[in-house]
Amino acid sequence: YFFPNKLLSKTAISRASVSLTGRNLLYLMNKMENISPESHVSSSNVQGLENSGYPEARTFGLNFNLTF
């Protein structure tokens, strides 16, 4: 979200924005265990199968961008 210049006119900030980010928030359909599109077990063509690996982390982020 970019804050309007009218809101920032009486401050030292010329531009301001905020954004939310997220990764691996949910699986829409996960009917099989140990299957992930982001993992692999070898350099051959077996992408998506996990074997003794950690699951992907669910991450959240909040970004602020200020320009003076």
Side-chain angles (χ1 to χ4, degrees), residues 48-63:
L49 297 175
E50 286 185 25
N51 188 10
S52 302
Y54 293 110
E56 291 86 21
R58 180 177 295 160
T59 58
F60 302 94
L62 179 64
N63 298 317

Side-chain angles (χ1 to χ4, degrees), residues 4-11 13:
N5 290 336
K6 185 177 181 180
L7 184 67
L8 302 172
S9 63
K10 295 183 180 182
T11 67
I13 302 169

Side-chain angles (χ1 to χ4, degrees), residues 2 6-7 11 18-19 21 24-27 30 32 36-37 41-43 50 52-53 57-58 62-63:
F2 285 96
K6 185 177 181 180
L7 184 67
T11 67
V18 62
S19 62
T21 61
N24 293 325
L25 300 178
L26 60 100
Y27 284 108
N30 190 8
M32 299 178 73
S36 172
V41 295
S42 74
S43 60
E50 286 185 25
S52 302
R58 180 177 295 160
L62 179 64
N63 298 317

